[in-house]
Amino acid sequence: MDKLFDLDLRDPRTEGRHLAVGLMHDQFLAEAMEAAENVNRARSGGDSPRSSTKRSGRGKARGRRGGRAGHTGRADRWSGLTTGMDTEVLALPSEDSLPLPRAQQNPQEMFEQNMERLSALLDSSPCPAEPERSAASSWSVRQQKASDRWEEARPYHLRCLLESEAVGKPLCCFCHKPAVIRCRECLPEQWFCGACDMHNHSKRPLHNRDSVVDGFFKAIPPSTCISRGETGIYATHEQDRILPTMPAQHCTCQVPSFTVEAGKPVILITINGRYDLHLPRYVCQTCLQQWAPDVRDLVRSGYWPASANASTIYTVDLLNTFQELKLISPGFSRQALAKMLEHRTLCAGRSGQINGDALQRSFLEFAYASFEKDQLCCDTPFTCPACTPEMVAVSADGNRKLYRFGHTGRSNDTPFFDGLFLAKDSEVSDFVNTIQMAVKNIKGRGTCGDSQWAAARETSRRASKLDEEGVEVAVCRHGFLLKALNMYRGEIFAYPMYLQRELLPSKAQFFAMDVACKYWPYLQKVASVIPALKSLTEMKPFLSIMHARAHATKCEIKWSGRNQKGAGTTAGEEVEQINSYLSRCALTTKYMSKAARVDMLTVHAMGWNHHKAETLHKALSTRYVKTSKRAEEEAERLSQLQKDLQCSNAMAVQWIAEVKEWAESETPVTGLHVLQQSIEGLHLGLKQQKQTLYRQNDSNKLRHRLRRKLTEDKKRLLQEIDKYNSLVADLSKRIDVALVDHSLAGQSTGAIWPWEDYGSVTIGVKKRLHDQEMLKTRLEEELPILVLEMAQHCTWLQNLGVALKTELARYEDENGLHCLLARRLAEVEERHQMVLQRYKTALGPLASVLLDVCEEEECDPMGLVSPDTSEDEEDAREQAT
């Protein structure tokens, strides 16, 4: 009996079943006890059987242990639950089958009878099994289950792989003769005899076929055919295969009837490798005129010539694939593609090499032709739709990784995209010479605080082994590439100045750089000598936010973009994201010729901007939602900071003014001040080196060397502190060495230098409040800026649609261009609706403002920009922002 009801109480899946068993056991056991008590009284001549109503004044009889008669304790019931149950189905108790009186019946037997009833009822209505818990709640469990399933299926997959190599005795899918050829590209009819193979694949030479004559699968080229001789032995022979092209008619016969023959050899290169085929030669049976497809016919058939005589051609699909691979993985080279194609050629039973140089030249020709085609569709690859016509900021920075060796690629070819993205070298050189002749330059790097900046140079020498030493790039705040130039003298101020002049028509409010504090005084000095550049000073300087933290504190407060009114949350670091992408191009471009490097970088830049344009509406809407949420959070933090500092609103305004006044004040250059700068620089360097000791160094040998340098720098710091304290007579103005040690150990965050005191509160505390106020203000400015950029994006798409409609009417007679413009117009209209819907969702109630701007904005169909707004509209917009 114990074995029949052996339940595992530790199993959580049976927890519900245990609870149900316990409840039903209690109920039926109480009923059994009550029935036994009634029968016992009836047989002894006592009271009549108890009714269901409760009698007043009398309770249930007590047992010998003081409990109610006929009542079993809970512990006894649960102990009996684990002993077991019988599985017989018993009938309800009748008068004849009632149990004996309690005095005459064994308690164990009575309990077993009740358990039999309970077991029968449980078996008649079994509880449903609980579903297993899903593993979707835990990533590690899901991965483990996936690994277990793969491990379990691995032997089966191996057997399937081995079975796929079995030839067997297949029959032709058409004539049911013994098959000798397998073509998986013809699935489900993959088996062919020799005759059916020649009939079906004479016009499908690009199919990869396998021979099964030798008892195994052997890849064969498209020109190989298999036939069975009279002796029953299979033999192979070669047959010319014709390149698949669109049929072209060059004769004037009204009823053309021509035959197709194999013409001159041609090499076709597809994503599957190289094919040695023949061009078709058409012969008219009426006038006997012969002709072959020209370049126009080949391009219409989806091919692109590798040379002027089209002896080698590529599929357009291969060139598009190569472009996508270059954009996704900028370090992917033409040699790698050529090797991959050669490997696929050998795997398919074909042979032949692929010229990587010819492939790159043909690819660049194709890219330039595609660019010209897009130009006819009013495409502007280096224009940001959200920054047209009003741009917030332009960010410029140099990329020293995009250099090119001077001994490679000495070609005199002219770039296809000369001057489109990368400025012409001759124009940049003339501009630099003009600047350096007009202004006396200072040699060496610029310094700000305790940092030296390689980009803060007025002049620099050329590298000996390099031709181009890098690229100076300018982008908008959305990451669109706008303009670039080749650097030949390092990062000098003349290069960003040239880009600033070229981007002057964009009407940018700010010009962001990582050394704006050094560049702007130099620009003002140059503008005072060259009046033509005075308009550049109308922009506002913007020190990129992340780089500003490495500048002097006063410089950060004065120049940082976080503290510039009207800049919003522009970071000024957008060019760093671009450089992280373009730097990977250097793996291939440093070995290219000058022209090929310019063209390849331009192709990469256009691909980057195309991706940015595709996702611009998502970026703006997401940025708006996050900025709205963060603005509320930072406002609460500012309020909490004021409470912590016990600073009222009036006092906060005063502190912020004092911080700005302190940043504008000139620091006297004395011997004591030089010591202060040296001490701060050593202290800051020690803290930074300690923070990065384990974070950026994984070598014990390197860490040992850094620890030794830390010891030397700390010794120098203590020497400088002793020297400073000896020069200060006032004891309260001396440096506390113990406080410095606590700061280096990370145990102190307050002011440690006596010259930091500014009134009753240190300047550091006031700067904390200043920075939080600036952050809140910039977030509030960002929201109207984003609304304006969304409106400009929608207006730009609207204007582009109008321009395409104008071009459609203009080129109505040209079928190819007309169809291209119609397709482009459909794409623009679809994108416009998608962008509007996205902005409606993000803006919510403010979406009506955006729609009003888009509907009321007048369109300039040829210029693709909205006309200049009136003064009243500008004033209203300034008030709204």
Side-chain angles (χ1 to χ4, degrees):
M1 190 171 182
D2 294 341
K3 294 181 180 179
L4 291 175
F5 199 70
D6 189 10
L7 299 178
D8 188 3
L9 294 177
R10 295 172 296 177
D11 188 357
R13 293 177 297 178
T14 59
E15 181 180 357
R17 184 178 177 87
H18 293 163
L19 182 59
V21 168
L23 295 175
M24 296 178 70
H25 171 257
D26 291 345
Q27 179 181 358
F28 285 106
L29 192 61
E31 292 177 359
M33 294 298 102
E34 185 177 1
E37 184 180 358
N38 293 337
V39 172
N40 191 17
R41 288 176 179 174
R43 289 183 178 181
S44 61
D47 297 335
S48 60
R50 297 177 60 185
S51 62
S52 58
T53 60
K54 184 177 179 180
R55 293 183 299 174
S56 62
R58 293 187 60 183
K60 188 176 292 186
R62 298 282 180 175
R64 287 181 298 176
R65 297 185 180 181
R68 299 290 184 183
H71 181 72
T72 305
R74 182 177 297 272
D76 296 336
R77 291 198 302 271
W78 278 105
S79 63
L81 179 63
T82 59
T83 59
M85 295 183 185
D86 198 354
T87 56
E88 293 185 9
V89 180
L90 300 179
L92 294 176
S94 61
E95 185 175 356
D96 297 332
S97 61
L98 288 174
L100 295 175
R102 186 175 181 84
Q104 302 178 8
Q105 188 177 10
N106 189 351
Q108 182 65 28
E109 294 179 358
M110 185 176 64
F111 177 76
E112 290 179 359
Q113 291 178 2
N114 291 326
M115 292 301 297
E116 288 177 358
R117 289 184 60 199
L118 177 60
S119 177
L121 290 172
L122 290 177
D123 291 340
S124 63
S125 57
C127 298
E130 284 190 16
E132 295 185 0
R133 296 182 180 179
S134 174
S137 59
S138 174
W139 180 87
S140 59
V141 175
R142 293 199 307 271
Q143 295 300 314
Q144 184 61 39
K145 283 186 174 291
S147 299
D148 295 342
R149 294 190 189 102
W150 274 106
E151 184 177 0
E152 181 182 355
R154 197 170 296 141
Y156 176 71
H157 291 166
L158 177 59
R159 290 196 301 269
C160 295
L161 192 62
L162 294 176
E163 291 175 2
S164 66
E165 296 293 335
V167 175
K169 297 181 180 180
L171 299 178
C172 178
C173 295
F174 297 92
C175 64
H176 303 291
K177 294 181 180 180
V180 295
I181 296 293
R182 182 188 70 173
C183 178
R184 286 179 171 174
E185 299 185 33
C186 291
L187 282 171
E189 299 171 343
Q190 61 173 339
W191 297 107
F192 299 88
C193 64
C196 293
D197 173 64
M198 294 180 62
H199 175 73
N200 285 275
H201 286 107
S202 60
K203 296 182 180 180
R204 299 181 180 90
L206 304 184
H207 284 197
N208 294 324
R209 304 173 301 146
D210 297 312
S211 168
V212 298
V213 173
D214 298 326
F216 55 87
F217 294 109
K218 180 182 179 181
I220 58 176
S223 58
T224 300
C225 300
I226 299 177
S227 60
R228 188 173 183 177
E230 297 179 356
T231 59
I233 300 176
Y234 290 99
T236 61
H237 60 277
E238 300 297 319
Q239 184 177 7
D240 294 337
R241 294 300 186 188
I242 300 176
L243 176 73
T245 59
M246 294 182 60
Q249 180 181 356
H250 287 251
C251 66
T252 58
C253 299
Q254 295 182 354
V255 182
S257 175
F258 52 85
T259 58
V260 183
E261 302 174 355
K264 68 174 185 177
V266 65
I267 298 174
L268 173 66
I269 299 177
T270 71
I271 194 65
N272 289 322
R274 170 173 169 166
Y275 294 83
D276 293 327
L277 305 174
H278 291 263
L279 285 174
R281 183 172 64 236
Y282 300 97
V283 180
C284 180
Q285 299 298 316
T286 304
C287 62
L288 301 181
Q289 183 180 356
Q290 300 182 4
W291 67 92
D294 55 12
V295 175
R296 180 183 62 180
D297 299 326
L298 293 176
V299 172
R300 293 183 63 189
S301 302
Y303 306 119
W304 187 259
S307 58
N309 57 5
S311 59
T312 301
I313 57 177
Y314 304 98
T315 58
V316 174
D317 175 66
L318 173 64
L319 299 179
N320 286 328
T321 302
F322 182 46
Q323 184 173 5
E324 291 299 324
L325 287 173
K326 291 290 291 183
L327 296 178
I328 296 172
S329 178
F332 188 75
S333 64
R334 66 180 187 276
Q335 289 90 345
L337 179 63
K339 293 296 182 183
M340 185 270 291
L341 295 177
E342 289 178 357
H343 175 72
R344 293 181 67 88
T345 301
L346 293 176
C347 291
R350 305 184 298 272
S351 62
Q353 295 182 346
I354 297 176
N355 191 331
D357 294 336
L359 174 61
Q360 177 175 282
R361 180 59 185 259
S362 179
F363 167 73
L364 293 177
E365 290 278 358
F366 174 75
Y368 181 71
S370 300
F371 165 74
E372 292 289 348
K373 182 183 70 173
D374 294 338
Q375 288 291 100
L376 294 175
C377 295
C378 308
D379 189 25
T380 52
F382 297 103
T383 300
C384 176
C387 294
T388 305
E390 297 181 18
M391 185 178 293
V392 177
V394 174
S395 178
D397 194 11
N399 189 335
R400 299 293 296 272
K401 294 182 180 180
L402 288 173
Y403 60 86
R404 189 182 72 88
F405 291 117
H407 60 81
T408 59
R410 297 183 180 274
S411 174
N412 295 325
D413 294 341
T414 303
F416 295 109
F417 303 100
D418 192 19
L420 178 63
F421 172 60
L422 285 168
K424 295 182 179 180
D425 293 338
S426 58
E427 297 179 358
V428 177
S429 179
D430 294 341
F431 181 83
V432 172
N433 292 334
T434 302
I435 296 297
Q436 293 188 347
M437 289 177 61
V439 180
K440 184 178 180 180
N441 296 312
I442 301 175
K443 296 183 179 180
R445 297 180 177 182
T447 60
C448 184
D450 301 301
S451 305
Q452 288 187 345
W453 301 90
R457 293 173 180 258
E458 299 181 13
T459 182
S460 179
R461 295 184 301 174
R462 293 194 58 172
S464 58
K465 296 183 180 180
L466 303 179
D467 191 357
E468 292 90 343
E469 297 184 18
V471 171
E472 186 87 15
V473 183
V475 303
C476 72
R477 80 188 210 113
H478 306 108
F480 279 79
L481 285 161
L482 303 177
K483 196 68 177 177
L485 56 84
N486 289 316
M487 297 190 300
Y488 290 92
R489 301 183 183 182
E491 295 185 67
I492 59 177
F493 287 149
Y495 290 146
M497 195 178 300
Y498 176 86
L499 295 177
Q500 186 181 2
R501 188 194 67 172
E502 291 295 308
L503 297 175
L504 194 61
S506 63
K507 302 177 182 178
Q509 301 178 33
F510 298 93
F511 189 76
M513 285 185 65
D514 53 1
V515 287
C517 57
K518 298 297 179 182
Y519 168 76
W520 209 254
Y522 180 78
L523 173 62
Q524 291 174 337
K525 181 173 66 173
V526 173
S528 63
V529 180
I530 305 177
L533 300 178
K534 194 156 184 73
S535 57
L536 301 183
T537 59
E538 297 177 359
M539 292 187 186
K540 301 175 184 178
F542 186 110
L543 180 60
S544 52
I545 294 176
M546 295 301 296
H547 284 82
R549 298 183 180 182
H551 287 245
T553 306
K554 290 187 176 182
C555 174
E556 178 188 0
I557 297 173
K558 182 178 179 180
W559 299 93
S560 175
R562 182 62 54 80
N563 305 326
Q564 305 301 320
K565 183 179 180 181
T569 58
T570 305
E573 305 287 355
E574 293 80 11
V575 70
E576 300 296 339
Q577 180 188 14
I578 308 293
N579 282 336
S580 66
Y581 171 78
L582 291 178
S583 295
R584 292 181 285 169
C585 303
L587 296 174
T588 56
T589 56
K590 61 184 177 182
Y591 300 112
M592 292 182 180
S593 64
K594 185 185 291 290
R597 174 179 173 273
V598 171
D599 293 332
M600 194 61 70
L601 289 178
T602 305
V603 170
H604 279 286
M606 289 190 295
W608 173 273
N609 284 357
H610 177 74
H611 172 71
K612 283 289 183 180
E614 292 290 324
T615 58
L616 180 60
H617 61 294
K618 298 180 181 179
L620 289 178
S621 57
T622 303
R623 189 169 182 174
Y624 181 86
V625 173
K626 290 184 177 180
T627 302
S628 302
K629 182 178 180 181
R630 192 182 175 195
E632 298 176 358
E633 295 174 353
E634 297 301 334
E636 294 178 0
R637 290 182 182 178
L638 177 61
S639 178
Q640 184 62 37
L641 181 60
Q642 288 185 233
K643 292 180 181 179
D644 296 341
L645 298 177
Q646 298 180 356
C647 176
S648 62
N649 293 334
M651 188 182 297
V653 174
Q654 181 182 354
W655 283 10
I656 293 172
E658 290 176 356
V659 170
K660 294 180 179 179
E661 181 183 351
W662 174 77
E664 293 289 344
S665 63
E666 296 291 337
T667 304
V669 181
T670 61
L672 205 60
H673 174 67
V674 174
L675 270 177
Q676 292 173 359
Q677 284 189 332
S678 176
I679 291 172
E680 287 183 351
L682 288 171
H683 177 267
L684 180 62
L686 283 170
K687 291 193 68 173
Q688 291 177 347
Q689 291 174 22
K690 281 191 173 185
Q691 291 175 357
T692 60
L693 182 61
Y694 288 93
R695 188 183 305 169
Q696 299 180 2
N697 305 286
D698 55 357
S699 170
N700 288 332
K701 185 180 295 185
L702 181 58
R703 284 197 291 264
H704 176 70
R705 190 182 307 123
L706 291 175
R707 289 192 190 97
R708 187 168 54 188
K709 186 177 184 302
L710 283 171
T711 304
E712 295 174 356
D713 290 347
K714 186 173 182 180
K715 184 177 179 181
R716 287 179 53 202
L717 174 62
L718 294 177
Q719 291 175 354
E720 293 291 316
I721 290 175
D722 292 340
K723 186 177 179 181
Y724 176 84
N725 289 339
S726 64
L727 296 175
V728 177
D730 190 356
L731 296 178
S732 62
K733 297 296 183 181
R734 291 183 179 180
I735 302 174
D736 188 355
V737 178
L739 196 59
V740 174
D741 290 336
H742 283 296
S743 176
L744 291 175
Q747 300 175 3
S748 175
T749 58
I752 59 175
W753 313 120
W755 56 83
E756 285 185 341
D757 291 340
Y758 190 82
S760 59
V761 183
T762 62
I763 195 65
V765 174
K766 295 179 179 180
K767 185 177 180 298
R768 283 179 56 197
L769 184 65
H770 169 272
D771 293 345
Q772 187 64 30
E773 174 64 29
M774 292 298 104
L775 177 58
K776 182 187 77 73
T777 305
R778 299 291 86 80
L779 288 169
E780 293 173 352
E781 292 175 352
E782 179 70 11
L783 295 176
I785 291 176
L786 288 173
V787 172
L788 175 62
E789 290 175 343
M790 292 179 187
Q792 291 185 155
H793 185 198
C794 296
T795 304
W796 189 86
L797 290 173
Q798 205 173 36
N799 293 339
L800 179 58
V802 175
L804 289 171
K805 292 178 181 179
T806 304
E807 295 297 306
L808 267 174
R810 179 182 177 186
Y811 295 103
E812 189 173 1
D813 297 335
E814 299 186 20
N815 190 22
L817 181 56
H818 183 82
C819 295
L820 184 64
L821 290 169
R823 184 181 67 184
R824 177 61 175 159
L825 177 61
E827 294 173 353
V828 170
E829 290 178 346
E830 181 181 0
R831 175 160 293 277
H832 187 212
Q833 295 301 321
M834 180 175 59
V835 167
L836 281 176
Q837 185 61 37
R838 179 82 179 199
Y839 291 160
K840 285 181 183 178
T841 305
L843 292 174
L846 295 178
S848 58
V849 179
L850 176 66
L851 295 178
D852 292 342
V853 173
C854 295
E855 292 176 359
E856 295 177 1
E857 196 75 60
E858 296 183 3
C859 299
D860 182 8
M862 301 306 297
L864 302 182
V865 295
S866 59
D868 294 337
T869 55
S870 63
E871 295 181 359
D872 295 336
E873 292 174 340
E874 291 180 354
D875 294 337
R877 183 172 296 164
E878 289 179 359
Q879 293 176 2
T881 57

